[in-house]
Amino acid sequence: MHAPGAAALRVRLSPAGRARWRSRRPTRPGCRWPRRRACCPSRCGTPADSNADADADADADGSLLRTRWVPVEPAPAPAEPVAVLGRQGDLPVDGAVHYPDLDALAAAVADGAAVPQTVLVPVGPEPGEVPSAVRAATGRMLGLVRAWLGEARLSGARLVAVTRTAVVAEPGDGGPDLAGAAVWGLLRSAQSEHPRRFGLLDLDATARVPQGLAAALREDEAQLAVRGERLLAPRLLPMTAAGSVTVDPDPEDQLPDPEGTVLVTGGTGTLGGLLARHLVARGARHLLLAGRRGGQAPVAAELVAELTGLGAQVRVVSCDVADRQSLAGLLREIPAEHPLTTVVHAAGVVDDGLVEALTPERLAAVLRPKADAAWNLHELTAGLGLAEFVLFSSAAGTFGSAGQANYAAANAFLDALAQHRRAQGLPGLSLAWGLWAERSALTGALDAADLARLGREGVRALSTPDALRLFDTPARRSASRS
Ligand SMILES: NC(=O)c1ccc[n+]([C@@H]2O[C@H](COP(=O)([O-])OP(=O)(O)OC[C@H]3O[C@@H](n4cnc5c(N)ncnc54)[C@H](OP(=O)(O)O)[C@@H]3O)[C@@H](O)[C@H]2O)c1
């Protein structure tokens, strides 16, 4: 590295055969490692020099990553004009020009006002029940994102959504604002599709927008949290190295309670079915597999036969888990002698499209089986003393996959719900899977070009044995309760 004053180096690593990595030329100095190149959880080799060996299979615990927020210093830069959308009292920012909405800002610019480099827009808190609040907050943000991208005069500016406690940036943060968290997911995808056009800033209950914010966001950090005087940015770190996760030394503790019922939503889907087999192999004896098609799902009969042959009692039920009444009915039918002990929420759909093409309907359709259903499961099982509540989320919510703003919003909600539950003393874990190699209805449309693109972005598909091994890691199990 020859640049004077450089503090950090970004190197792009790509797989180069089994346990080998190729490094590409360094880009600008001052960039930070890693953000988009890892999976959570997935197999990620140790950042290494060109051709250095990294046995990605060796360390299951090291392959599970967790988002941590680390202090960052804003890069010194000249003060830039900042505008705020909304009423003055909603988001007081020293020196900012306030406009009631985007139309007013666009009209002012058309009349000759200077184009602000950074435009802040406060988000939430959203009133009402959680699922409708999520739909309202994400729907409103989707409309603003689309309108923002349509304003050619503002094409050099960055729109920054300002949330309050929508992310858990510090241990004392408590449960996050769930609607705000979903907005973060949506905007992460918008950031991927339109680099430098969007920023995310999360304040704690009291923090004001800090001086130098625009400079911080304009450099290399498009997602920041303010806690007290500190500016924090998200990083993915191996769970065992992250400090707070204790590894449970007792392997017996990892086995499902054989008398308890395990509910797998999306249980006749690809991952749901693989997990059901895995849980039965590890001792689960009472499984409830829920999907809208129930026994009509293509693999249902074969799956039931296989699991029954392994000694399990399996019920496949037709239930739309986003429908609260249906789900409540399903839970009521669980026999008292085999009480519900474990929930694995693996139901989900996709409806991919660039953010400009998404509509409130397409957003709601993807939120429904993930977020609405997860909230139903959370509320309806609250008093049951569950041992585990596992949400099958996607790395799309963490990284913000291009073309998946609706899916990223739904998965970011799941991640936040797990934090919300743990803050309430309930078990909760959201596994933000990378791509599984086993094709499913969700991933079957990926063609060779898509896979090659994902590969260039550092995403490798997880084999089923590796994925299930990650599901079993002690770190994963203890994180459900920490
Ligand atoms: N495959 C991957 O690489 C991957 C990566 C990251 C995350 N994930 C997540 O893992 C989960 C499983 O994905 P998959 O790849 O196995 O997809 P899949 O095969 O399509 O399974 C999803 C299942 O969800 C069920 N479902 C959808 N809406 C439902 C609703 N309202 N109520 C009840 N069940 C519903 C579907 O069954 P019905 O149509 O019969 O309802 C389907 O069987 C998803 O949440 C997905 O986001 C998967």
Side-chain angles (χ1 to χ4, degrees):
M1 172 114 106
H2 302 293
L9 172 71
R10 176 187 286 175
V11 179
R12 176 173 293 190
L13 296 178
S14 52
R18 184 174 168 77
R20 298 188 71 78
W21 298 87
R22 176 185 303 116
S23 69
R24 303 268 293 276
R25 65 179 168 77
T27 54
R28 288 178 302 143
C31 302
R32 292 158 172 80
W33 163 276
R35 279 204 307 286
R36 287 186 47 83
R37 301 291 175 250
C39 301
C40 173
S42 182
R43 300 183 313 173
C44 301
T46 311
D49 289 339
S50 177
N51 296 325
D53 282 349
D55 187 352
D57 290 335
D59 176 15
D61 284 345
S63 301
L64 274 179
L65 308 177
R66 188 175 224 185
T67 301
R68 295 281 165 189
W69 292 75
V70 299
V72 291
E73 292 291 331
E80 292 175 333
V82 171
V84 178
L85 303 184
R87 290 173 307 173
Q88 189 118 19
D90 291 345
L91 188 64
V93 181
D94 294 340
V97 184
H98 283 255
Y99 296 92
D101 54 26
L102 181 59
D103 286 346
L105 168 61
V109 169
D111 284 348
V115 175
Q117 295 301 297
T118 302
V119 178
L120 305 176
V121 57
V123 175
E126 200 71 41
E129 291 286 306
V130 166
S132 55
V134 169
R135 262 192 303 281
T138 52
R140 197 174 307 116
M141 184 52 69
L142 175 63
L144 181 59
V145 164
R146 295 181 55 187
W148 177 259
L149 293 171
E151 285 293 346
R153 288 189 187 89
L154 298 174
S155 62
R158 189 194 295 255
L159 179 70
V160 178
V162 183
T163 55
R164 283 203 189 267
T165 60
V167 299
V168 177
E170 287 189 330
D173 273 359
D177 167 30
L178 297 172
V183 168
W184 270 66
L186 183 136
L187 277 175
R188 286 185 184 122
S189 282
Q191 287 180 327
S192 299
E193 293 175 25
H194 299 277
R196 290 179 295 281
R197 295 303 316 282
F198 298 100
L200 280 156
L201 178 72
D202 191 65
L203 306 180
D204 64 22
T206 54
R208 289 175 60 81
V209 174
Q211 297 285 340
L213 162 82
L217 283 164
R218 290 194 78 75
E219 270 309 304
D220 204 33
E221 305 290 356
Q223 300 174 26
L224 289 170
V226 184
R227 295 294 182 266
E229 299 294 310
R230 297 188 309 152
L231 215 46
L232 306 170
R235 299 286 185 268
L236 282 175
L237 297 176
M239 286 179 70
T240 46
S244 72
V245 176
T246 52
V247 175
D248 189 335
D250 182 2
E252 289 300 309
D253 189 42
Q254 296 182 34
L255 299 176
D257 172 3
E259 293 308 314
T261 293
V262 178
L263 167 63
V264 184
T265 74
T268 53
T270 303
L271 270 48
L274 290 168
L275 188 74
R277 288 182 181 89
H278 181 66
L279 292 173
V280 167
R282 292 176 60 254
R285 284 296 166 264
H286 302 276
L287 266 82
L288 187 51
L289 309 180
R292 290 164 303 177
R293 288 167 295 176
Q296 301 304 312
V299 299
E302 183 192 330
L303 182 62
V304 171
E306 188 182 333
L307 297 178
T308 307
L310 292 169
Q313 290 185 0
V314 185
R315 234 164 40 93
V316 174
V317 286
S318 167
C319 177
D320 176 350
V321 289
D323 180 325
R324 196 180 174 91
Q325 299 307 325
S326 302
L327 180 62
L330 178 71
L331 296 177
R332 273 195 301 274
E333 287 170 14
I334 295 175
E337 61 273 27
H338 301 298
L340 186 65
T341 52
T342 300
V343 169
V344 179
H345 179 41
V349 298
V350 289
D351 183 6
D352 295 350
L354 294 175
V355 71
E356 292 97 322
L358 292 185
T359 60
E361 293 73 27
R362 294 181 70 184
L363 181 58
V366 174
L367 285 171
R368 192 175 177 282
K370 286 232 156 205
D372 294 29
W375 186 252
N376 288 342
L377 287 162
H378 162 66
E379 288 205 315
L380 294 173
T381 63
L384 302 184
L386 294 182
E388 287 216 76
F389 188 98
V390 181
L391 300 157
F392 269 34
S393 171
S394 164
T398 309
F399 296 144
S401 302
Q404 293 196 306
N406 47 3
Y407 187 62
N411 286 295
F413 174 88
L414 296 188
D415 301 344
L417 177 60
Q419 294 170 322
H420 173 83
R421 285 180 60 86
R422 291 202 300 275
Q424 294 188 339
L426 297 167
L429 184 71
S430 191
L431 288 169
W433 295 108
L435 180 68
W436 285 47
E438 191 95 25
R439 292 307 191 88
S440 75
L442 264 56
T443 58
L446 292 174
D447 59 19
D450 293 322
L451 293 174
R453 174 177 51 79
L454 289 170
R456 283 194 300 277
E457 292 181 355
V459 176
R460 285 191 301 154
L462 272 169
S463 72
T464 298
D466 280 351
L468 294 173
R469 195 165 44 83
L470 287 170
F471 185 85
D472 282 343
T473 53
R476 197 283 295 166
R477 305 281 299 189
S478 12
S480 305
R481 299 174 216 116
S482 68

